[in-house]
Amino acid sequence: MLVTRVIPQPTIRHDIDSADGLAWLENEYAPPEGGYVRLNMITSLTGTASGSDGTSETLSSPVDRRILGVIRAASDVVVVGAATVRAERYIAPRRTRLAIVTSTGDLGDVSFAEEDRDRVVLVADTTHASAVERAGSALGIDTVVADAAELSPAAILTALATRDWTRVVCEGGPSLAGQFAEARCIDEFCLSLAPQFTPPGTPLLGHAADIRLAPPHAMLVDDAGFSYLRSRPHA
């Protein structure tokens, strides 16, 4: 899989299937020291977060999935909403943890293998804690209860920090991503842009307010026409 860096200069091209190429990609996506919040999502040219099957899978590519793995591996935890877990049929990441934000604990027919359950938690507020803890217990997974009556991004991050999980990757879905963006909790946007138009659907950031980004400080492209942008919020 050939990937070309076009920002910053000079242009560099690597085969990320090779050991050297993968090491280069990991260095390109190396996060800052200390705690951070990254948003990692994919979008079509029409700004939708899902493809023809209603999930992000039909927008994705092998390079996108490789980058996803690199970003996850550098984190303490991936945060995602329960609706997205149900729609995307999430599995536990192999090299980090998964925190599922929920007010009910309902994951539909999604379950996790016994050997993966210690890397998965539910995140609930105090209002819904009892119901979520019961649902989590039935699934064999733990619950982190935020010290708040409602789950704001700040409350979610504070709850995760009680377990020393401060390197956070938010993968949405769009509603949760929009909340994080609107709350100005995101330090870096990692966005994959698929070279296709899709019918209008769920926007990338849900109903978030107008979010301005600084010019991309990093951009990769692959031979299939995908772009991989990294940008920070506008000062």
Side-chain angles (χ1 to χ4, degrees), residues 5 9 24 36-37 45 53 96 101-102 105 123 130 148 156 159 161-162 187 189-191 195 212-213 216 224 228 234:
R5 187 184 76 187
Q9 293 290 326
W24 169 81
Y36 62 82
V37 178
L45 293 173
D53 66 347
T96 189
V101 178
T102 179
V123 182
S130 295
I156 294 167
T162 64
D187 299 303
F189 291 79
C190 301
L191 302 176
R212 295 183 61 199
L213 299 183
Y228 307 94
H234 194 280

Side-chain angles (χ1 to χ4, degrees), residues 6-155:
V6 295
I7 300 174
Q9 293 290 326
T11 298
I12 297 174
R13 187 169 171 83
H14 276 282
D15 179 359
I16 60 172
D17 275 332
S18 70
D20 287 346
L22 179 57
W24 169 81
L25 186 68
E26 291 171 340
N27 184 67
E28 287 291 299
Y29 276 86
E33 294 292 331
Y36 62 82
V37 178
R38 276 175 157 170
L39 177 73
N40 185 47
M41 295 184 70
I42 189 168
T43 179
S44 71
L45 293 173
T46 38
T48 57
S50 59
S52 58
D53 66 347
T55 77
S56 63
E57 184 64 25
T58 43
L59 292 180
S60 189
S61 70
V63 173
D64 175 58
R65 289 188 286 273
R66 182 65 55 84
I67 290 173
L68 171 71
V70 167
I71 291 173
R72 284 178 166 183
S75 74
D76 294 324
V77 64
V78 168
V79 177
V80 67
T84 297
V85 169
R86 294 191 296 267
E88 303 273 352
R89 299 194 58 79
Y90 258 63
I91 62 174
R94 288 178 294 180
R95 298 172 64 186
T96 189
R97 304 169 186 87
L98 180 67
I100 303 168
V101 178
T102 179
S103 60
T104 64
D106 177 17
L107 303 186
D109 60 357
V110 174
S111 61
F112 299 95
E114 184 174 356
E115 63 269 21
D116 294 333
R117 291 172 190 165
D118 63 346
R119 291 183 287 110
V120 180
V121 299
L122 303 180
V123 182
D125 55 39
T126 54
T127 303
H128 303 95
S130 295
V132 173
E133 286 175 329
R134 286 195 298 271
S137 178
L139 293 168
I141 56 180
D142 196 9
T143 299
V144 177
V145 179
D147 187 17
E150 296 182 354
L151 280 177
S152 66

Side-chain angles (χ1 to χ4, degrees), residues 170-235:
C170 177
E171 294 184 4
S175 178
L176 186 65
Q179 292 172 37
F180 268 72
E182 194 169 15
R184 302 298 192 270
C185 289
I186 299 170
D187 299 303
E188 183 178 59
F189 291 79
C190 301
L191 302 176
S192 299
L193 181 62
Q196 67 184 85
F197 293 100
T198 56
T202 305
L204 178 70
L205 293 183
H207 299 288
D210 186 26
I211 305 297
R212 295 183 61 199
L213 299 183
H217 58 271
M219 177 178 175
L220 309 179
V221 296
D222 65 25
D223 288 358
F226 286 74
S227 301
Y228 307 94
L229 306 175
R230 292 168 59 199
S231 186
R232 301 182 182 95
H234 194 280

